[in-house]
Amino acid sequence: MNLANKITLARIFLVPIMMFFLLVNFDYLPPIRVEDFYITYNQIIAALIFIIAASTDGLDGYIARKRKMVTNLGKLLDPLADKLLVAAVLISLVEMGKCDAWIAVVIISREFAVTGLRQVALLEGTVVAASKWGKWKTATQITAIVAMLLNNFPFAFINFPFDVIATWMAALITVYSGIDYFVKNKKVLHFS
């Protein structure tokens, strides 16, 4: 197994660890409080794990291309790791009451739909390349998730709802990027 695939597997293994810190109650550790703002230590740890895992997404692909280590296993694992990470954290955030369920459903549904499109394209011998909207989707999702994980830090101090705005932006760009993939690849689905 090459380095790029090991990094991808590490991202997958970080998912349950991140969920543990998000969902297990550490009552013996009091939260950090500054005026009306509070955050728990386990939220901070989960956010750091998420940031590390999300940052390895580009790293594994870069290493695989740079060192000419692109494998079929990597092509399968990389998008799977991305979907697992985002779906797990969104479901956890819904459980914690930090994210509306409909936003999680929209984002996760788009991920499944585009993955299905890519699978159909592969069966047709075509590759659905990543688009600029797909990259924007990833960036806005990561930004929104980190803002929710950190209870809107540091914007909570100035009463600016950055987490809400970022979540709406992520949802809108996610939907748009999904539509963009299907419109640009409709020939794969034999709609034309």
Side-chain angles (χ1 to χ4, degrees), residues 13 42 88 92 99 129:
F13 288 124
N42 52 315
S92 298
C99 180

Coordinates of all heavy atoms in Angstrom, one line a residue, residues 13 42 88 92 99 129:
F13 N -10.1 6.3 9.3 CA -10.0 5.9 10.7 C -10.2 7.1 11.7 O -10.5 6.8 12.8 CB -8.6 5.2 11.0 CG -8.5 3.8 10.4 CD1 -7.5 3.5 9.5 CD2 -9.5 2.9 10.6 CE1 -7.4 2.3 8.9 CE2 -9.4 1.6 10.1 CZ -8.4 1.3 9.2
N42 N -14.0 18.6 24.3 CA -14.2 17.6 23.3 C -14.6 18.2 22.0 O -14.2 17.6 20.9 CB -15.1 16.5 23.8 CG -16.5 17.0 24.3 OD1 -16.5 17.9 25.1 ND2 -17.5 16.3 23.9
A88 N -20.6 11.8 8.5 CA -20.5 11.6 9.9 C -20.5 12.8 10.8 O -21.2 12.9 11.8 CB -19.2 10.8 10.2
S92 N -23.6 14.0 13.2 CA -23.3 14.3 14.6 C -23.7 15.7 15.0 O -24.3 15.9 16.1 CB -21.8 14.2 14.8 OG -21.3 12.9 14.6
C99 N -27.0 21.7 13.7 CA -27.2 21.8 12.2 C -28.6 21.2 12.0 O -29.1 20.2 12.6 CB -26.2 20.9 11.5 SG -26.4 20.9 9.7
A129 N -14.7 14.4 -14.2 CA -13.7 15.2 -13.5 C -14.3 16.1 -12.5 O -15.4 16.5 -12.6 CB -12.9 15.9 -14.5

